[in-house]
Amino acid sequence: MSHALPNFRHLYYFWVVAKEGSITRAAERLGLAIQTVSTQLTLLEQAFGKALFTQQGRRLTLTEAGRLALSYADQIFLLGEQMQEALDASDSTRIRLAVGISDSLPKFTAYRLLEVTTQLATPVRLVCHEDQYEALLGDLALHKLDVVLTDRAVPTGTTLRVFSHLLSESEMFVVGAPALAHEYRDDFPASLHGAPFLLPTRNNALRGKIDDWFERHAIRPDVVGEFEDNALLNTFGRRGLGLFFTPAAPAADIDYQLGAELVGRVPEVREHFYAISNERKIKHPAVEAILSAVHKGALADG
């Protein structure tokens, strides 16, 4: 009995479901409705004429046919990755580096982390994508990105074949527009009690550390804004809406990048920066350069 060839999109959705072990999590990763993913999976099983998953408790597990299909799907997506790299290699003038940048990562930090790639013998053509952390991890696992720069490590227990590499860590500064900085600089940090603050939202890795620091110092700030996007938070801070936290940097950089002045140093609160890479048989020279810089101390504490 013959069957129609599987649709590539159906295979792609199957691959994500297999990696996630759940249609719900796969739908979240893909940004689709659960019913859409379920329907695509059913169409693929109909094309193959075999069940690819079986339900075990609350988790989907692969059948024997599903494991075989997944092994081929892995090869298909790996070949796609190798094809892109071969095409990039055919252009000897520049190496293409697709970078995912978490929207919570400060822009000048992203630049500092990528600056090492400008020193390679072969010039690099950067292709930068900014998105939420979870979406970038999904694109990395699907080989749409070469590396993700972010402020958090990959959670333990993930089914994705991705790996965290700590690049650097930095103490935090409290900064603000000049008028606010002048008002709250004296008697720091006690002066911050009741001060207007712009903070990252609670799903940001840094927010819990900031809240703990406030509590230890008996500081109750007036939270006038919470932001998922770091650039937007900085924009409001530059306009003087409130004080805000930023990774340690030279005063000239803070003034140029943020239009702000230092209020006080917060060495107890540290932000960590990671490069997340996928499992690749072919190493990307620009990614290797970033990771190598860690071992050489080129990305030391800011």
Tab-separated table of all heavy atoms in Angstrom, residues 123-172:
chain	number	residue	atom	x	y	z
A	123	PRO	N	36.342	38.015	7.805
A	123	PRO	CA	35.291	38.909	8.301
A	123	PRO	C	33.967	38.178	8.528
A	123	PRO	O	33.658	37.202	7.851
A	123	PRO	CB	35.151	39.946	7.171
A	123	PRO	CG	36.440	39.883	6.426
A	123	PRO	CD	36.888	38.459	6.517
A	124	VAL	N	33.207	38.673	9.487
A	124	VAL	CA	31.932	38.065	9.857
A	124	VAL	C	30.783	38.951	9.403
A	124	VAL	O	30.837	40.182	9.538
A	124	VAL	CB	31.848	37.857	11.384
A	124	VAL	CG1	30.450	37.397	11.799
A	124	VAL	CG2	32.886	36.840	11.832
A	125	ARG	N	29.760	38.319	8.836
A	125	ARG	CA	28.516	39.037	8.515
A	125	ARG	C	27.494	38.678	9.570
A	125	ARG	O	26.973	37.566	9.607
A	125	ARG	CB	28.002	38.668	7.122
A	125	ARG	CG	26.666	39.344	6.762
A	125	ARG	CD	26.386	39.238	5.277
A	125	ARG	NE	26.284	37.859	4.823
A	125	ARG	CZ	25.122	37.185	4.779
A	125	ARG	NH1	23.989	37.757	5.171
A	125	ARG	NH2	25.087	35.939	4.342
A	126	LEU	N	27.204	39.612	10.457
A	126	LEU	CA	26.277	39.372	11.561
A	126	LEU	C	24.833	39.499	11.089
A	126	LEU	O	24.475	40.437	10.375
A	126	LEU	CB	26.510	40.379	12.689
A	126	LEU	CG	27.736	40.161	13.575
A	126	LEU	CD1	27.896	41.348	14.522
A	126	LEU	CD2	27.613	38.878	14.367
A	127	VAL	N	24.015	38.533	11.492
A	127	VAL	CA	22.569	38.600	11.277
A	127	VAL	C	21.948	38.448	12.662
A	127	VAL	O	21.955	37.369	13.241
A	127	VAL	CB	22.069	37.489	10.335
A	127	VAL	CG1	20.563	37.611	10.135
A	127	VAL	CG2	22.803	37.543	9.000
A	128	CYS	N	21.457	39.540	13.218
A	128	CYS	CA	20.980	39.558	14.605
A	128	CYS	C	19.459	39.553	14.653
A	128	CYS	O	18.806	40.334	13.946
A	128	CYS	CB	21.515	40.778	15.340
A	128	CYS	SG	23.319	40.779	15.526
A	129	HIS	N	18.924	38.672	15.491
A	129	HIS	CA	17.483	38.579	15.699
A	129	HIS	C	17.204	38.788	17.188
A	129	HIS	O	17.791	38.116	18.030
A	129	HIS	CB	16.952	37.202	15.278
A	129	HIS	CG	17.250	36.844	13.853
A	129	HIS	ND1	16.419	37.182	12.810
A	129	HIS	CD2	18.296	36.182	13.305
A	129	HIS	CE1	16.945	36.740	11.674
A	129	HIS	NE2	18.071	36.124	11.949
A	130	GLU	N	16.301	39.693	17.495
A	130	GLU	CA	15.922	39.922	18.894
A	130	GLU	C	14.531	39.339	19.124
A	130	GLU	O	13.614	39.539	18.331
A	130	GLU	CB	15.920	41.409	19.234
A	130	GLU	CG	15.655	41.666	20.708
A	130	GLU	CD	15.700	43.146	21.056
A	130	GLU	OE1	15.595	43.967	20.134
A	130	GLU	OE2	15.821	43.470	22.238
A	131	ASP	N	14.379	38.594	20.214
A	131	ASP	CA	13.095	37.979	20.514
A	131	ASP	C	13.096	37.568	21.976
A	131	ASP	O	14.078	37.767	22.699
A	131	ASP	CB	12.855	36.769	19.620
A	131	ASP	CG	11.367	36.488	19.380
A	131	ASP	OD1	10.543	36.872	20.244
A	131	ASP	OD2	11.037	35.879	18.342
A	132	GLN	N	11.986	36.958	22.399
A	132	GLN	CA	11.915	36.439	23.748
A	132	GLN	C	12.765	35.176	23.867
A	132	GLN	O	12.994	34.458	22.903
A	132	GLN	CB	10.466	36.150	24.134
A	132	GLN	CG	9.597	37.398	24.203
A	132	GLN	CD	8.180	37.100	24.641
A	132	GLN	OE1	7.771	35.947	24.688
A	132	GLN	NE2	7.436	38.138	24.967
A	133	TYR	N	13.211	34.929	25.086
A	133	TYR	CA	14.144	33.841	25.378
A	133	TYR	C	13.655	32.497	24.838
A	133	TYR	O	14.392	31.790	24.148
A	133	TYR	CB	14.319	33.792	26.894
A	133	TYR	CG	15.114	32.636	27.428
A	133	TYR	CD1	16.505	32.630	27.354
A	133	TYR	CD2	14.481	31.561	28.044
A	133	TYR	CE1	17.237	31.580	27.868
A	133	TYR	CE2	15.215	30.509	28.561
A	133	TYR	CZ	16.594	30.527	28.473
A	133	TYR	OH	17.304	29.475	28.986
A	134	GLU	N	12.410	32.132	25.128
A	134	GLU	CA	11.888	30.819	24.738
A	134	GLU	C	11.851	30.663	23.223
A	134	GLU	O	12.178	29.595	22.682
A	134	GLU	CB	10.495	30.598	25.327
A	134	GLU	CG	10.463	30.465	26.849
A	134	GLU	CD	10.546	31.802	27.563
A	134	GLU	OE1	10.508	32.861	26.883
A	134	GLU	OE2	10.654	31.797	28.803
A	135	ALA	N	11.442	31.711	22.516
A	135	ALA	CA	11.366	31.642	21.056
A	135	ALA	C	12.757	31.467	20.440
A	135	ALA	O	12.940	30.717	19.477
A	135	ALA	CB	10.696	32.896	20.500
A	136	LEU	N	13.754	32.142	21.020
A	136	LEU	CA	15.113	32.032	20.496
A	136	LEU	C	15.677	30.631	20.703
A	136	LEU	O	16.368	30.096	19.830
A	136	LEU	CB	16.017	33.067	21.181
A	136	LEU	CG	15.726	34.532	20.849
A	136	LEU	CD1	16.614	35.442	21.667
A	136	LEU	CD2	15.904	34.800	19.353
A	137	LEU	N	15.377	30.026	21.860
A	137	LEU	CA	15.843	28.661	22.097
A	137	LEU	C	15.255	27.697	21.063
A	137	LEU	O	15.939	26.790	20.587
A	137	LEU	CB	15.470	28.196	23.503
A	137	LEU	CG	16.287	28.726	24.674
A	137	LEU	CD1	15.960	27.949	25.940
A	137	LEU	CD2	17.772	28.681	24.398
A	138	GLY	N	13.991	27.897	20.735
A	138	GLY	CA	13.354	27.055	19.725
A	138	GLY	C	14.028	27.202	18.372
A	138	GLY	O	14.296	26.211	17.688
A	139	ASP	N	14.333	28.447	17.987
A	139	ASP	CA	15.002	28.679	16.702
A	139	ASP	C	16.413	28.101	16.704
A	139	ASP	O	16.898	27.607	15.681
A	139	ASP	CB	15.053	30.175	16.394
A	139	ASP	CG	13.701	30.730	15.978
A	139	ASP	OD1	12.817	29.928	15.629
A	139	ASP	OD2	13.528	31.962	16.003
A	140	LEU	N	17.087	28.162	17.858
A	140	LEU	CA	18.424	27.584	17.959
A	140	LEU	C	18.362	26.068	17.788
A	140	LEU	O	19.180	25.481	17.062
A	140	LEU	CB	19.036	27.937	19.320
A	140	LEU	CG	20.434	27.377	19.596
A	140	LEU	CD1	21.462	28.020	18.672
A	140	LEU	CD2	20.821	27.608	21.058
A	141	ALA	N	17.399	25.432	18.451
A	141	ALA	CA	17.265	23.978	18.356
A	141	ALA	C	16.954	23.539	16.926
A	141	ALA	O	17.330	22.447	16.512
A	141	ALA	CB	16.169	23.487	19.307
A	142	LEU	N	16.284	24.411	16.175
A	142	LEU	CA	15.942	24.100	14.788
A	142	LEU	C	17.021	24.567	13.816
A	142	LEU	O	16.815	24.555	12.607
A	142	LEU	CB	14.603	24.756	14.421
A	142	LEU	CG	13.390	24.223	15.188
A	142	LEU	CD1	12.163	25.060	14.888
A	142	LEU	CD2	13.134	22.767	14.848
A	143	HIS	N	18.163	25.010	14.363
A	143	HIS	CA	19.314	25.424	13.558
A	143	HIS	C	19.040	26.666	12.717
A	143	HIS	O	19.701	26.883	11.702
A	143	HIS	CB	19.804	24.276	12.665
A	143	HIS	CG	20.140	23.034	13.422
A	143	HIS	ND1	21.203	22.956	14.292
A	143	HIS	CD2	19.539	21.823	13.470
A	143	HIS	CE1	21.255	21.748	14.831
A	143	HIS	NE2	20.246	21.051	14.360
A	144	LYS	N	18.074	27.470	13.139
A	144	LYS	CA	17.860	28.742	12.470
A	144	LYS	C	18.844	29.789	12.972
A	144	LYS	O	19.056	30.814	12.321
A	144	LYS	CB	16.421	29.230	12.697
A	144	LYS	CG	15.356	28.356	12.061
A	144	LYS	CD	13.975	28.930	12.323
A	144	LYS	CE	12.879	28.081	11.686
A	144	LYS	NZ	11.530	28.633	11.958
A	145	LEU	N	19.409	29.552	14.158
A	145	LEU	CA	20.392	30.445	14.757
A	145	LEU	C	21.658	29.664	15.064
A	145	LEU	O	21.620	28.462	15.315
A	145	LEU	CB	19.846	31.057	16.054
A	145	LEU	CG	18.590	31.921	15.954
A	145	LEU	CD1	18.086	32.290	17.337
A	145	LEU	CD2	18.870	33.185	15.138
A	146	ASP	N	22.783	30.372	15.075
A	146	ASP	CA	24.062	29.747	15.431
A	146	ASP	C	24.330	29.834	16.927
A	146	ASP	O	24.978	28.966	17.503
A	146	ASP	CB	25.204	30.425	14.667
A	146	ASP	CG	25.065	30.262	13.157
A	146	ASP	OD1	24.949	29.110	12.707
A	146	ASP	OD2	25.063	31.281	12.446
A	147	VAL	N	23.850	30.888	17.555
A	147	VAL	CA	24.095	31.087	18.981
A	147	VAL	C	23.042	32.049	19.518
A	147	VAL	O	22.500	32.880	18.770
A	147	VAL	CB	25.520	31.648	19.214
A	147	VAL	CG1	25.663	33.069	18.671
A	147	VAL	CG2	25.914	31.592	20.686
A	148	VAL	N	22.734	31.915	20.796
A	148	VAL	CA	21.815	32.836	21.470
A	148	VAL	C	22.561	33.501	22.619
A	148	VAL	O	23.236	32.826	23.414
A	148	VAL	CB	20.570	32.093	22.015
A	148	VAL	CG1	19.756	32.999	22.941
A	148	VAL	CG2	19.698	31.604	20.866
A	149	LEU	N	22.469	34.814	22.704
A	149	LEU	CA	23.048	35.570	23.811
A	149	LEU	C	21.921	35.980	24.740
A	149	LEU	O	20.935	36.585	24.299
A	149	LEU	CB	23.788	36.806	23.295
A	149	LEU	CG	24.930	36.551	22.305
A	149	LEU	CD1	25.572	37.871	21.900
A	149	LEU	CD2	25.972	35.612	22.896
A	150	THR	N	22.060	35.675	26.017
A	150	THR	CA	20.966	35.900	26.948
A	150	THR	C	21.491	36.067	28.362
A	150	THR	O	22.699	35.954	28.609
A	150	THR	CB	19.958	34.733	26.878
A	150	THR	OG1	18.857	34.988	27.736
A	150	THR	CG2	20.622	33.422	27.258
A	151	ASP	N	20.571	36.337	29.292
A	151	ASP	CA	20.960	36.571	30.687
A	151	ASP	C	20.594	35.393	31.585
A	151	ASP	O	20.586	35.536	32.801
A	151	ASP	CB	20.303	37.852	31.215
A	151	ASP	CG	18.786	37.804	31.155
A	151	ASP	OD1	18.237	36.845	30.569
A	151	ASP	OD2	18.139	38.724	31.685
A	152	ARG	N	20.269	34.251	31.001
A	152	ARG	CA	19.926	33.087	31.811
A	152	ARG	C	20.387	31.811	31.129
A	152	ARG	O	20.506	31.757	29.906
A	152	ARG	CB	18.418	33.041	32.081
A	152	ARG	CG	17.585	32.708	30.871
A	152	ARG	CD	16.109	32.870	31.135
A	152	ARG	NE	15.737	34.279	31.177
A	152	ARG	CZ	14.490	34.710	31.361
A	152	ARG	NH1	13.521	33.836	31.534
A	152	ARG	NH2	14.228	35.991	31.370
A	153	ALA	N	20.654	30.805	31.941
A	153	ALA	CA	21.091	29.519	31.418
A	153	ALA	C	19.883	28.700	30.973
A	153	ALA	O	18.736	29.007	31.317
A	153	ALA	CB	21.879	28.766	32.488
A	154	VAL	N	20.137	27.663	30.206
A	154	VAL	CA	19.072	26.746	29.801
A	154	VAL	C	18.568	26.015	31.038
A	154	VAL	O	19.371	25.527	31.843
A	154	VAL	CB	19.598	25.726	28.776
A	154	VAL	CG1	18.510	24.737	28.394
A	154	VAL	CG2	20.114	26.443	27.538
A	155	PRO	N	17.261	25.951	31.262
A	155	PRO	CA	16.746	25.258	32.449
A	155	PRO	C	17.090	23.779	32.433
A	155	PRO	O	17.164	23.153	31.372
A	155	PRO	CB	15.230	25.489	32.359
A	155	PRO	CG	14.959	25.813	30.924
A	155	PRO	CD	16.184	26.501	30.423
A	156	THR	N	17.316	23.234	33.614
A	156	THR	CA	17.627	21.813	33.709
A	156	THR	C	16.395	20.997	33.314
A	156	THR	O	15.260	21.413	33.521
A	156	THR	CB	18.032	21.452	35.143
A	156	THR	OG1	16.980	21.840	36.042
A	156	THR	CG2	19.313	22.168	35.547
A	157	GLY	N	16.650	19.835	32.739
A	157	GLY	CA	15.547	18.955	32.361
A	157	GLY	C	14.980	19.216	30.988
A	157	GLY	O	14.047	18.538	30.572
A	158	THR	N	15.524	20.197	30.252
A	158	THR	CA	15.004	20.475	28.916
A	158	THR	C	15.333	19.328	27.967
A	158	THR	O	16.351	18.645	28.120
A	158	THR	CB	15.574	21.787	28.343
A	158	THR	OG1	15.019	22.022	27.046
A	158	THR	CG2	17.083	21.727	28.229
A	159	THR	N	14.458	19.096	27.010
A	159	THR	CA	14.700	18.049	26.013
A	159	THR	C	15.484	18.577	24.816
A	159	THR	O	15.856	17.808	23.944
A	159	THR	CB	13.361	17.472	25.519
A	159	THR	OG1	12.568	18.537	24.966
A	159	THR	CG2	12.600	16.818	26.662
A	160	LEU	N	15.728	19.886	24.788
A	160	LEU	CA	16.456	20.471	23.665
A	160	LEU	C	17.942	20.161	23.773
A	160	LEU	O	18.510	20.169	24.861
A	160	LEU	CB	16.258	21.992	23.645
A	160	LEU	CG	14.824	22.498	23.467
A	160	LEU	CD1	14.789	24.004	23.572
A	160	LEU	CD2	14.262	22.044	22.134
A	161	ARG	N	18.568	19.913	22.639
A	161	ARG	CA	20.000	19.660	22.619
A	161	ARG	C	20.746	20.985	22.482
A	161	ARG	O	21.359	21.287	21.453
A	161	ARG	CB	20.347	18.721	21.462
A	161	ARG	CG	19.913	17.290	21.697
A	161	ARG	CD	20.337	16.422	20.536
A	161	ARG	NE	20.252	15.016	20.861
A	161	ARG	CZ	20.603	14.030	20.045
A	161	ARG	NH1	21.059	14.330	18.843
A	161	ARG	NH2	20.517	12.766	20.410
A	162	VAL	N	20.670	21.791	23.514
A	162	VAL	CA	21.355	23.075	23.546
A	162	VAL	C	22.131	23.175	24.856
A	162	VAL	O	21.774	22.540	25.848
A	162	VAL	CB	20.365	24.252	23.407
A	162	VAL	CG1	19.706	24.247	22.044
A	162	VAL	CG2	19.299	24.212	24.502
A	163	PHE	N	23.182	23.994	24.841
A	163	PHE	CA	24.106	24.024	25.971
A	163	PHE	C	24.432	25.464	26.355
A	163	PHE	O	24.649	26.315	25.486
A	163	PHE	CB	25.384	23.267	25.623
A	163	PHE	CG	25.127	21.850	25.171
A	163	PHE	CD1	24.967	21.555	23.823
A	163	PHE	CD2	24.991	20.833	26.089
A	163	PHE	CE1	24.710	20.259	23.402
A	163	PHE	CE2	24.734	19.536	25.679
A	163	PHE	CZ	24.587	19.249	24.338
A	164	SER	N	24.497	25.723	27.648
A	164	SER	CA	24.788	27.061	28.166
A	164	SER	C	26.280	27.220	28.420
A	164	SER	O	26.926	26.315	28.954
A	164	SER	CB	24.035	27.308	29.471
A	164	SER	OG	22.660	27.116	29.315
A	165	HIS	N	26.804	28.373	28.070
A	165	HIS	CA	28.199	28.712	28.335
A	165	HIS	C	28.214	30.078	29.019
A	165	HIS	O	27.797	31.077	28.419
A	165	HIS	CB	29.007	28.790	27.037
A	165	HIS	CG	28.821	27.605	26.129
A	165	HIS	ND1	29.603	26.472	26.212
A	165	HIS	CD2	27.914	27.370	25.145
A	165	HIS	CE1	29.209	25.600	25.298
A	165	HIS	NE2	28.186	26.122	24.635
A	166	LEU	N	28.666	30.127	30.272
A	166	LEU	CA	28.745	31.400	30.984
A	166	LEU	C	29.838	32.252	30.363
A	166	LEU	O	31.006	31.856	30.330
A	166	LEU	CB	29.030	31.163	32.467
A	166	LEU	CG	29.174	32.428	33.328
A	166	LEU	CD1	27.871	33.221	33.334
A	166	LEU	CD2	29.596	32.062	34.744
A	167	LEU	N	29.471	33.429	29.844
A	167	LEU	CA	30.435	34.307	29.198
A	167	LEU	C	31.053	35.280	30.190
A	167	LEU	O	32.261	35.477	30.215
A	167	LEU	CB	29.760	35.092	28.071
A	167	LEU	CG	29.268	34.284	26.872
A	167	LEU	CD1	28.601	35.209	25.864
A	167	LEU	CD2	30.413	33.519	26.220
A	168	SER	N	30.205	35.901	30.986
A	168	SER	CA	30.706	36.879	31.952
A	168	SER	C	29.612	37.173	32.964
A	168	SER	O	28.465	36.754	32.804
A	168	SER	CB	31.130	38.179	31.251
A	168	SER	OG	30.004	38.844	30.707
A	169	GLU	N	30.002	37.854	34.014
A	169	GLU	CA	29.022	38.340	34.967
A	169	GLU	C	29.404	39.751	35.367
A	169	GLU	O	30.569	40.143	35.259
A	169	GLU	CB	28.930	37.432	36.190
A	169	GLU	CG	30.214	37.270	36.974
A	169	GLU	CD	30.005	36.389	38.193
A	169	GLU	OE1	29.253	36.815	39.087
A	169	GLU	OE2	30.587	35.295	38.235
A	170	SER	N	28.440	40.499	35.799
A	170	SER	CA	28.685	41.901	36.107
A	170	SER	C	27.885	42.327	37.323
A	170	SER	O	26.732	41.916	37.496
A	170	SER	CB	28.291	42.770	34.898
A	170	SER	OG	28.358	44.143	35.217
A	171	GLU	N	28.506	43.148	38.180
A	171	GLU	CA	27.730	43.778	39.230
A	171	GLU	C	26.797	44.799	38.593
A	171	GLU	O	26.966	45.175	37.429
A	171	GLU	CB	28.647	44.465	40.244
A	171	GLU	CG	29.355	45.699	39.709
A	171	GLU	CD	30.135	46.433	40.782
A	171	GLU	OE1	29.553	46.789	41.828
A	171	GLU	OE2	31.326	46.672	40.573
A	172	MET	N	25.820	45.233	39.344
A	172	MET	CA	24.837	46.169	38.813
A	172	MET	C	25.041	47.566	39.398
A	172	MET	O	25.517	47.722	40.525
A	172	MET	CB	23.420	45.681	39.126
A	172	MET	CG	23.101	44.314	38.549
A	172	MET	SD	23.230	44.241	36.746
A	172	MET	CE	21.815	45.253	36.271
